[in-house]
Amino acid sequence: MKTFATVLLMVVTMGLTAQNNYSFSGSDIKFEDVTFKSSMKLGDEALVYNGGGVRTKIIFDLYEAGLYLTGKTGDANTVINGDKAMAVRLEITSGLVSEENFVEAIQEGFDKTAPAKAAEFTAWFKGALGGALTKGDEIILAYTPGEGTTLYKNGKNLGTQAGIEFKKALWAIWLGEQPAQESLKKEMLGK
């Protein structure tokens, strides 16, 4: 019976850990309508806020994004190609953002950054996101070397896509040669 209780405790603990492997701390950095924290802990890695900004489309603010890295940099290629812990925190700031148009925007990004894998990457993302988006939702995309990119929505772990190629393609959506929005790229890079 003691062995069963020990195994049950381990399963419950693993389940709780799988929910959320990150935390934020430090001073507040207010940008438009969203407050970012100056530091983030991802597993055992300490990350710092590198920069952030607003994603707009036409005249609407859609979400605010903050980039967290192991050390600050203004070099997009270092971030995209780096095999280090890092994360992007998005907060939906508009009721106009739906799961459908968010996934569509990700699809457009993957079409530019990883055309050969765009359908596969988008299918994983859509399947993992699995549900409506509403104003105030928080999405965390956290990359851990050797594990892959984990998608969290409002603190809940929605799954991990293994491999650095997915991470490179995803980060290039914001920071690549043809970013979703040039001004957001500069802001995320602290420029």
Side-chain angles (χ1 to χ4, degrees):
M1 187 67 172
K2 189 174 186 180
T3 304
F4 175 74
T6 303
V7 170
L8 183 61
L9 179 62
M10 287 174 51
V11 169
V12 169
T13 303
M14 286 177 8
L16 292 174
T17 304
Q19 286 298 308
N20 182 332
N21 193 29
Y22 66 87
S23 62
F24 293 96
S25 62
S27 58
D28 288 348
I29 301 166
K30 181 90 169 148
F31 194 90
E32 298 284 330
D33 297 327
V34 176
T35 300
F36 293 93
K37 289 293 192 178
S38 60
S39 28
M40 176 182 185
K41 182 127 176 149
L42 178 60
D44 294 331
E45 291 286 340
L47 307 179
V48 295
Y49 177 80
N50 195 71
V54 179
R55 172 69 169 109
T56 58
K57 193 152 189 176
I58 307 172
I59 59 169
F60 301 103
D61 292 350
L62 303 177
Y63 61 80
E64 293 187 34
L67 176 64
Y68 289 84
L69 305 170
T70 55
K72 289 190 175 199
T73 184
D75 182 44
N77 288 326
T78 298
V79 178
I80 292 167
N81 297 310
D83 194 15
K84 296 180 178 182
M86 60 183 72
V88 172
R89 175 181 175 252
L90 306 173
E91 186 168 320
I92 306 300
T93 57
S94 170
L96 300 174
V97 178
S98 67
E99 178 193 15
E100 183 179 319
N101 60 28
F102 188 78
V103 170
E104 186 178 295
I106 294 292
Q107 170 74 52
E108 289 172 12
F110 282 141
D111 285 342
K112 292 178 187 174
T113 63
K117 295 262 191 177
E120 174 189 335
F121 287 169
T122 303
W124 176 85
F125 199 92
K126 183 177 182 179
L129 194 57
L133 288 174
T134 60
K135 185 175 180 179
D137 280 349
E138 176 188 69
I139 295 172
I140 305 288
L141 299 155
Y143 176 73
T144 303
E147 291 179 24
T149 303
T150 302
L151 172 65
Y152 298 92
K153 179 181 170 191
N154 299 326
K156 184 177 180 188
N157 182 332
L158 300 180
T160 300
Q161 174 69 35
I164 193 168
E165 293 310 313
F166 176 81
K167 175 260 179 187
K168 287 180 181 181
L170 185 61
W171 262 246
I173 290 172
W174 295 287
L175 304 174
E177 293 295 318
Q178 298 176 20
Q181 183 175 319
E182 190 64 42
S183 61
L184 179 58
K185 173 183 175 176
K186 288 179 182 174
E187 292 164 337
M188 290 175 78
L189 293 171
K191 296 180 180 181

